[in-house]
């Protein structure tokens, strides 16, 4: 005698025998969403970059042309802004790496396991405190009668005021935890025995750092740099809050979508950080950094 | 390691944390600073701004919009992120690396790119008016990776032994998922959901480009009021509240994830 199994059980058995079907179902919704909605939107952005805007009606004209790219590359204003943006992003990344490494090292190698957990939470907490709140904090800190001036005035110095320097400081501050956490995770995985072995073989601290620790921690540093670099590259808000009159690529995009109502040109400008980031991701992929995110 | 080395590293850590927390402390202090220009050091204190902030209709309305967007985006991200995590963790197939890159892409590319790409797709290509829904779609897109990372980390750690045992004992796939897999996954889902909500709640650049005109999330409300001199005290209070409130999801997410996400559960 065979009992009739309930439909759910039959369905389970059916899917159990068909792993490819299960995989297909699992992938369908995420791929539909990210593949169609996100990649589709990126592709559309790329196409829009070749269109233009009618000067009189403000409507998008779907005729193909390279005019936007010609403007972007020949107009010295945009060249300056592009170089400034990339420069700021690189500087912020280097500053964060230099500050984050010793902090992450102390957390991963000197702190007790209990202290490690507390320190990780201590790094993460300000990460989630609103971006704007932190940028705004620097606006008050850097203002003429703010804390920085107050701290520096006894030495006869004055603060940087609002400008490129203030932007670099603020962005470095904003993205610092994004650099600390991956480096910490990378160093935590690095076995102490390798450091000890290096010491036993006669290497001094610096040699151990250069030949053992740095090569092994490198993918983690690169993983952190993806965030610091990418986030700086697309920022326009911090520079509006503390940057004075200086502009970044993000401001050009923002202004062309809003005030100037030239979506195609905004799209063209937005492609610059995309290309830079894709090249960067392609280069760092070999280091295994993407598995450290 | 040499004693000097240790001292230098501990000092670096201490100074680093001081720099990380000092600006936040300044915001907290300014929220009770009776001087509206917030010169340093503060001279006298008041709770007046707090009273004004809790009755500020604009801020409260924006807060509600933020919660709506965050909850909806988190729900979508939980479903899609979990499905993707199971597919990529449990199966080996062609194109697997590309898909994991695709999941990272919305946060690896600058927010302004994600923002303008979706803005352009909605308005120019699809002809949809921006509203709350378009912002939710945008938020869900970059929140998927948070859930994905938390679930993948948990799946990697729990292996497949218990599920196989369940099957051997006669449970079918659905029963196994309901009674074995899901309970083990629950805290990772909660942690991922909390972090996804926090990410959505804080997002401003993508929101600026995808939320309809006349609508405000809390970050956009702050940004709009940042440069209005008479609003500065209220902005300070909202900022202070956000600093205090944001510690809650981080604390719980860290506890729930059990430290199994490699980057400390950030994404």
């Amino acid at each position: 005698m065979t009992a009739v199994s309930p439909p759910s059980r039959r369905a389970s058995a059916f899917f159990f025998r068909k792993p490819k079907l299960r995989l297909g179902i699992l992938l369908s919704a995420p791929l539909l969403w990210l593949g169609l909605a996100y990649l589709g939107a990126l592709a559309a952005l790329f196409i829009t970059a070749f269109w233009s805007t009618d000067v009189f009606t403000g409507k998008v004209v779907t005729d193909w042309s390279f005019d936007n790219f010609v403007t972007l590359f020949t107009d010295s204003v945009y060249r300056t802004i592009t170089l400034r943006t990339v420069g700021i992003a690189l500087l912020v990344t280097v500053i964060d790496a230099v500050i984050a490494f010793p902090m992450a090292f102390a957390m991963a190698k000197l702190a007790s396991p209990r202290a490690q957990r507390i320190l990780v939470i201590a790094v993460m907490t300000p990460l989630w405190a609103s971006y704007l709140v932190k940028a705004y904090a620097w606006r008050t800190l850097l203002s003429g009668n703010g804390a920085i001036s107050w701290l520096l005035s006894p030495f006869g110095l004055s603060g940087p005021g609002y400008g490129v320097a203030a932007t670099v400081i603020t962005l470095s501050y904003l993205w610092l935890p994004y650099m600390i956490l991956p480096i910490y995770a990378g160093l935590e995985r690095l076995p102490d025995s390798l450091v000890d072995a290096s010491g036993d073989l006669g290497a001094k601290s610096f040699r151990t750092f250069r030949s053992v620790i740095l090569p092994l921690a490198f993918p983690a540093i690169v993983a952190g740099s993806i965030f610091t670099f990418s986030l700086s590259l697309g920022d326009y808000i911090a520079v509006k809050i503390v940057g004075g009159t200086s502009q970044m690529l993000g401001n050009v995009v923002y202004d062309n979508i809003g005030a100037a109502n030239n979506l195609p040109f905004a799209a063209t400008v937005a492609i610059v950080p995309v290309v830079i980031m894709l090249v960067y991701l392609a280069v760092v992929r070999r280091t295994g950094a993407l598995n450290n995110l | 390691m040499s004693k000097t080395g240790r001292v230098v590293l501990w000092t670096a850590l201490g100074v680093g944390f001081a720099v990380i927390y000092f600006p936040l402390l300044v915001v907290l202090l300014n929220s009770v600073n009776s001087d509206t220009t917030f010169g340093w050091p503060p001279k006298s204190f008041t709770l007046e701004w707090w009273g004004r902030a809790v009755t500020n209709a604009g801020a409260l309305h924006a807060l509600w919009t933020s919660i709506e967007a965050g909850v909806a985006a988190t729900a979508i991200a939980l479903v899609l992120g979990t499905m993707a995590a199971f597919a990529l963790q449990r199966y080996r197939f062609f194109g697997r690396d590309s898909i994991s890159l695709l999941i990272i892409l919305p946060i690896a590319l600058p927010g302004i790119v994600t923002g303008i790409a979706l803005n352009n797709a909605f308005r120019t290509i699809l002809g949809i008016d921006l509203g709350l829904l378009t912002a939710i779609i945008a938020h869900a897109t970059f929140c998927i990776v948070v859930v994905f990372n938390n679930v993948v980390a948990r799946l990697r750690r729990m292996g497949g032994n218990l599920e196989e045992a369940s099957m051997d004992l006669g449970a079918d796939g659905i029963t196994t998922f309901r009674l074995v897999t899901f309970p083990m996954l629950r805290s990772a889902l909660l942690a991922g959901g909390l972090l996804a909500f926090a990410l959505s709640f804080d997002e401003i650049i993508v929101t600026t480009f995808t939320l309809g005109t006349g609508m405000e999330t809390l970050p956009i409300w702050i940004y709009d009021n940042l440069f209005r001199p008479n609003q500065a005290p209220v902005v300070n209070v909202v900022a202070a509240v956000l600093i205090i409130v944001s510690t809650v999801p981080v604390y719980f997410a860290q506890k729930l994830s059990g430290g199994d996400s490699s980057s400390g559960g950030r994404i």
Side-chain angles (χ1 to χ4, degrees), chain A residues 11 26 51 61 85 93 103 137 141 147 160 162 169 172 188 190 197 212 220 241 259 282 293:
Chain A
L26 283 175
W51 292 347
V61 183
T85 306
T93 302
M103 291 181 72
L141 283 174
Y162 300 142
I169 292 172
S172 305
E188 203 205 358
L190 188 150
V212 180
I241 294 176
L293 291 177

Side-chain angles (χ1 to χ4, degrees), chain A residues 9 48 122 128 132 145 173 230 240, chain B residues 20-21 40 108 120 170 219 250:
Chain A
R9 195 167 180 98
T48 309
W128 292 106
L132 272 176
N145 58 357
Y173 175 80
S230 167
K240 270 198 178 177
Chain B
I20 288 175
Y21 277 94
W40 190 263
N120 177 48
V250 175

Side-chain angles (χ1 to χ4, degrees), chain A residues 105-278:
Chain A
F105 194 90
M107 284 167 66
K109 294 294 169 208
L110 302 184
S112 67
R114 197 184 130 73
Q116 276 183 2
R117 277 186 74 84
I118 296 169
L119 288 168
V120 167
I121 292 179
V123 175
M124 284 178 70
T125 305
L127 188 64
W128 292 106
S130 169
Y131 165 98
L132 272 176
V133 170
K134 288 182 283 185
Y136 178 61
W138 279 97
R139 189 177 167 84
T140 55
L141 283 174
L142 291 164
S143 77
N145 58 357
I148 304 280
S149 300
W150 180 78
L151 277 173
L152 291 175
S153 60
F155 306 100
L157 299 165
S158 64
Y162 300 142
V164 172
T167 308
V168 172
I169 292 172
T170 305
L171 290 175
S172 305
Y173 175 80
L174 285 166
W175 314 142
L176 181 63
Y178 291 77
M179 188 64 100
I180 297 176
L181 289 172
I183 298 183
Y184 164 77
L187 288 173
E188 203 205 358
R189 283 196 297 269
L190 188 150
D192 289 338
S193 55
L194 289 179
V195 179
D196 294 339
S198 170
D200 290 345
L201 292 167
K204 296 260 189 342
S205 302
F206 181 71
R207 182 64 201 261
T208 303
F209 172 74
R210 194 167 57 90
S211 305
V212 180
I213 298 171
L214 202 55
L216 288 170
F218 188 67
I221 299 172
V222 174
S225 78
I226 292 175
F227 289 116
T228 57
F229 188 67
S230 167
L231 288 165
S232 309
L233 214 50
D235 193 89
Y236 68 91
I237 290 178
V239 75
K240 270 198 178 177
I241 294 176
V242 298
T245 53
S246 51
Q247 287 208 314
M248 291 174 75
L249 280 173
N251 300 88
V252 179
V253 175
Y254 181 80
D255 293 344
N256 273 290
I257 281 205
N261 192 26
N262 190 347
L263 191 64
F265 189 65
T268 314
V269 179
I271 285 178
V272 177
V274 177
V275 171
I276 295 175
M277 273 321 291
L278 288 180

Side-chain angles (χ1 to χ4, degrees), chain A residues 8-9 11-13 16 19-20 22-23 25-31 33-35 37-42 44-46 48 51 60 99 101-107 109-112 117 119-134 136-141 143 145-148 150-151 173 176-178 180-182 184-185 188-189 205 226-227 230-231 233-237 240-241 249-251 253-254 257 261 263 266-267 270-271 273-274 277-278 281 285 290-293, chain B residues 1-2 5-6 9-10 12-13 16-17 19-24 26-27 30 35 37-41 76 79-84 86-88 91-93 97-99 101-114 116-121 123-125 136-138 140-141 144 146 149 167 170-175 195-196 198-200 202 204-205 208-209 218-220 222-223 226-227 232-233 235-236 238-240 242-243 246-247 250-251 254-255 258-259 262-267:
Chain A
S8 72
R9 195 167 180 98
S12 289
F16 184 74
K20 283 218 171 113
R22 269 183 294 161
L23 174 64
I25 291 173
L26 283 175
L27 279 177
S28 59
L31 273 189
W33 187 284
L34 288 169
Y38 190 63
L39 283 188
L42 281 181
L45 183 72
F46 189 71
T48 309
W51 292 347
V60 173
I99 298 176
F101 196 90
M103 291 181 72
F105 194 90
M107 284 167 66
K109 294 294 169 208
L110 302 184
S112 67
R117 277 186 74 84
L119 288 168
V120 167
I121 292 179
V123 175
M124 284 178 70
T125 305
L127 188 64
W128 292 106
S130 169
Y131 165 98
L132 272 176
V133 170
K134 288 182 283 185
Y136 178 61
W138 279 97
R139 189 177 167 84
T140 55
L141 283 174
S143 77
N145 58 357
I148 304 280
W150 180 78
L151 277 173
Y173 175 80
L176 181 63
Y178 291 77
I180 297 176
L181 289 172
Y184 164 77
E188 203 205 358
R189 283 196 297 269
S205 302
I226 292 175
F227 289 116
S230 167
L231 288 165
L233 214 50
D235 193 89
Y236 68 91
I237 290 178
K240 270 198 178 177
I241 294 176
L249 280 173
N251 300 88
V253 175
Y254 181 80
I257 281 205
N261 192 26
L263 191 64
I271 285 178
V274 177
M277 273 321 291
L278 288 180
L281 288 176
R285 217 175 158 175
L290 298 183
N291 299 324
N292 281 273
L293 291 177
Chain B
M1 194 185 302
S2 68
R6 282 169 180 275
L9 284 168
W10 279 119
L13 190 65
F17 272 113
V19 173
I20 288 175
Y21 277 94
F22 182 65
L24 301 179
V26 170
V27 174
N30 274 343
D35 171 22
T37 59
F38 306 117
W40 190 263
I76 297 170
V79 174
L80 297 179
T82 309
M83 289 172 83
F86 268 93
L88 267 63
Y91 300 88
R92 296 289 172 269
F93 55 93
D97 286 348
S98 306
I99 294 178
L101 187 64
L102 178 61
I103 293 168
I104 299 172
L105 211 56
I107 54 155
L109 290 182
I112 196 156
V113 173
T114 306
I116 184 188
L118 290 170
N119 176 297
N120 177 48
R123 282 168 58 208
T124 318
I125 310 293
I136 290 171
I137 293 172
T141 303
I144 292 174
V146 185
N149 274 6
M167 301 285 226
D172 60 39
I174 294 170
T175 311
L195 292 173
L199 192 63
S200 159
D202 187 31
I204 173 158
I205 295 183
T208 307
F209 289 104
L218 206 50
I220 293 185
I222 296 179
Y223 186 66
L226 216 49
F227 298 103
V235 170
N236 268 314
V238 175
L242 281 180
I243 290 173
S246 64
T247 59
V250 175
Y251 177 77
Q254 183 67 21
K255 269 203 118 95
S262 63
S263 53
R266 191 201 74 77
I267 55 167

